Amino acid sequence: MRAGRSFGAVLLAWVLVGSPVSGLPRTEIPDSAEPSSRREKARRLAEEGRIEEAIRELEALEAAGSASPRDRALLGALWLESGGPEAALEILAPLAEETSDPAVLYHAGRAALALGRIEQANRFLTRSVNLEERTPAARELGLLRYRQGRYSEASELLEPWIRGRGEDPEAELAAAWSALRLGRLDRAQELAEGLPETGSPVTLLKGALALWREEPRRALDLLRPLLEENRPEIRREARILMAESYLSLNQSGAAIELLQTAETESEPRLRLKLAQALYQQGRPEEAVSTLEPMARQVLARGGEPSTYPPLAGSLVLEYGRALAASGQSERAVPALETATEILPGEHQAWKALGEALAASGRPEEARKALKRFQRLAARAEEDVRRIRQGGSDPETGNRPLHRAGELLKEGRSEEALEILRRRMDADPEALAPRLLAARALVLLEKTEEALRIAGEAVEIAPENPDALYQRGVAAMAAGRLQEAEGDFRRALEIEPDHVPTLNDLAVLLLSRGERKEGRALLERVLEIAPGDPTATANLERLESKREGNP
């Protein structure tokens, strides 16, 4: 941690004489009334960087029973700087539990981090940041949040820290990756340009940026030298990004050649990419063999969808698709059912499940799954179309909103929502992110929040049919059918050919037994958009009921 060590003298001074980071008042740990010559000598040695000698003087004070709380705080910090986190934490943890001094809490958090005690580190660092926002604890907590995949929080902590400071490549790199994960492409690029020109982590970031900008050949050129990197984590990430680049170019053979290594066996993401490449090349049996050990573990665990590991949904979806493609539809069904439980908004999972059920001789279940697919696919396409036609994002153009729409199509509603929240914060008057956020919240079954966000959209644009439609969708999901009907009808007054509203109002009316008007609305949809899958499926269902079929 080059940047963290470069703060050493400043951070020790923070314990010695108070916080140099901010002029804010704080509670200090008192010294004894008259410091001894040994105490003065220890502090002088610490200021001069003679760490081991300072430790000996302070330990002598401690052994004599003369050490004050500030002496112990300095001793703990010195042990940490000299590479002794166990000794540091033993001294600092009791002080940290009782103090409101941000410096002591910061050093205790660092010591806990060094020992892998994440929960304890999180507690100490968070308290330090809460006491003084500009504490260096914000940096360490931001890096921790980044490693945990909590990119929005990481960005909020790291951006203020790096602004206006000298070089801190580690913090800047984490902030850049966080910005990229949040869809803030221009900010990620800006941070990347400020990093040193050389270095594998920076090259990896630039390769990821090229891939995100849909420049896969440029990404491959940047990433290829990293396969010779001696750090396994760099090689692994480079392989994953290169595999994505090859797959986007439909070069599955190159992806397979890249991924058939010993590293793939121990890294689930690499194995998943290998299976996708094999499937793309028309080798589904080999894709099944690649995924089977991991897929069996997922299928055996059960439990709530939220308890599954991050890759579980994608893994069982690819496994199920490969089984079906290799003629094993009955085996594919349980895997694909699990995929739809974990990724309920992923329309491709419902499509694969419907096809596997049909091939297994279960037509009624297949029909239901395929109807779900048609509805999700139509809505996803509509979302993306409207975002592409919408207004420009003030910071980065439409790209973050497009990315959020793509994430919704993939069933990754939480990730989409994280991007959209940032866009709403950045522009309180922006309509497009609110429309997509309300959609994501409905998919996540957070209907009250969906109603609130959709209500904000209507306040911004009261005559916009998309805003009224989205509020109606949220109201219908919350069971407020009268409110939903009012919004749908108002949207149709403004735009009579608004297809999503026609479809959803028809569903609402049919649910109340009002078949005549519901049918008329569905027929109107097919006049405007012949072959519309949602209207077609609902009319078929209506006809089936009229003929007395279940």
Side-chain angles (χ1 to χ4, degrees), residues 98-237:
E98 298 176 1
T99 189
S100 58
D101 187 304
V104 174
L105 287 160
Y106 163 73
H107 285 295
R110 285 181 68 209
L113 272 180
L115 295 170
R117 300 180 185 178
I118 303 303
E119 185 177 344
Q120 190 178 31
N122 178 72
R123 189 171 73 253
F124 290 152
L125 293 171
T126 300
R127 284 177 58 203
S128 182
V129 171
N130 289 341
L131 286 164
E132 189 172 338
E133 289 184 0
R134 296 182 64 196
T135 165
R139 175 188 188 274
E140 298 303 326
L141 189 59
L143 292 173
L144 175 60
R145 292 287 181 266
Y146 167 71
R147 291 191 291 270
Q148 292 172 328
R150 295 161 65 174
Y151 303 116
S152 181
E153 294 173 61
S155 185
E156 288 172 7
L157 289 160
L158 292 171
E159 288 277 2
W161 170 258
I162 63 180
R163 197 173 295 124
R165 294 188 180 277
E167 287 188 4
D168 188 349
E170 186 179 13
E172 291 167 13
L173 187 64
W177 275 109
S178 296
L180 182 60
R181 302 295 189 194
L182 292 169
R184 299 174 59 202
L185 188 60
D186 285 359
R187 179 56 179 154
Q189 186 72 50
E190 181 184 347
L191 286 163
E193 289 171 357
L195 289 166
E197 288 297 320
T198 58
S200 299
V202 177
T203 303
L204 189 70
L205 172 65
K206 291 180 178 179
L209 279 164
L211 179 59
W212 219 88
R213 287 188 183 278
E214 300 178 1
E215 299 172 356
R217 297 186 190 282
R218 167 68 175 156
L220 288 167
D221 289 341
L222 286 164
L223 296 165
R224 200 170 281 112
L226 298 184
L227 296 178
E228 306 302 320
E229 170 67 43
N230 58 9
R231 284 175 287 182
E233 67 275 13
I234 297 290
R235 290 198 307 271
R236 180 182 64 243
E237 295 303 321

Side-chain angles (χ1 to χ4, degrees), residues 15-137:
V15 176
L16 285 162
V17 298
S19 170
V21 179
S22 169
L24 298 174
R26 61 184 180 81
T27 304
E28 295 192 359
I29 300 176
D31 278 330
S32 304
E34 295 292 335
S36 67
S37 59
R38 173 158 272 169
R39 174 177 295 115
E40 292 172 345
K41 181 180 179 182
R43 295 189 180 192
R44 186 178 69 254
L45 290 167
E47 289 173 336
E48 294 171 359
R50 297 160 67 181
I51 305 297
E52 292 183 4
E53 296 173 66
I55 287 174
R56 285 198 294 270
E57 296 296 330
L58 290 167
E59 286 191 327
L61 276 176
E62 181 76 5
S66 303
S68 70
R70 181 169 292 282
D71 294 331
R72 288 194 290 277
L74 177 57
L75 179 59
L78 291 171
W79 269 117
L80 183 60
E81 291 302 314
S82 66
E86 298 93 342
L89 191 60
E90 184 178 352
I91 296 165
L92 292 169
L95 292 171
E97 295 293 354
E98 298 176 1
T99 189
S100 58
D101 187 304
V104 174
L105 287 160
Y106 163 73
H107 285 295
R110 285 181 68 209
L113 272 180
L115 295 170
R117 300 180 185 178
I118 303 303
E119 185 177 344
Q120 190 178 31
N122 178 72
R123 189 171 73 253
F124 290 152
L125 293 171
T126 300
R127 284 177 58 203
S128 182
V129 171
N130 289 341
L131 286 164
E132 189 172 338
E133 289 184 0
R134 296 182 64 196
T135 165

Side-chain angles (χ1 to χ4, degrees), residues 180-184 212 345 379-380 383-384 387-388 393 396-424 432-440 443:
L180 182 60
R181 302 295 189 194
L182 292 169
R184 299 174 59 202
W212 219 88
R379 286 192 171 180
D383 285 336
V384 172
I387 287 304
R388 285 173 175 165
D393 183 271
T396 59
N398 281 342
R399 185 66 190 185
L401 296 181
H402 174 68
R403 175 60 175 159
E406 292 295 331
L407 289 170
L408 283 176
K409 285 181 64 176
E410 296 168 13
R412 295 156 65 183
S413 301
E414 290 283 7
E415 294 176 59
L417 193 57
E418 191 169 24
I419 293 173
L420 295 166
R421 288 192 196 283
R422 294 194 70 86
R423 302 281 32 90
M424 290 189 290
R434 281 168 173 75
L435 297 179
L436 271 187
R439 168 69 63 198
L443 291 172

Side-chain angles (χ1 to χ4, degrees), residues 290-321:
T290 300
L291 292 175
E292 195 143 36
M294 296 188 300
R296 284 182 173 176
Q297 290 179 12
V298 173
L299 296 172
R301 65 178 289 149
E304 292 296 316
S306 60
T307 66
Y308 283 91
L311 278 179
S314 299
L315 194 151
V316 291
L317 172 56
E318 294 298 332
Y319 179 62
R321 290 175 63 194

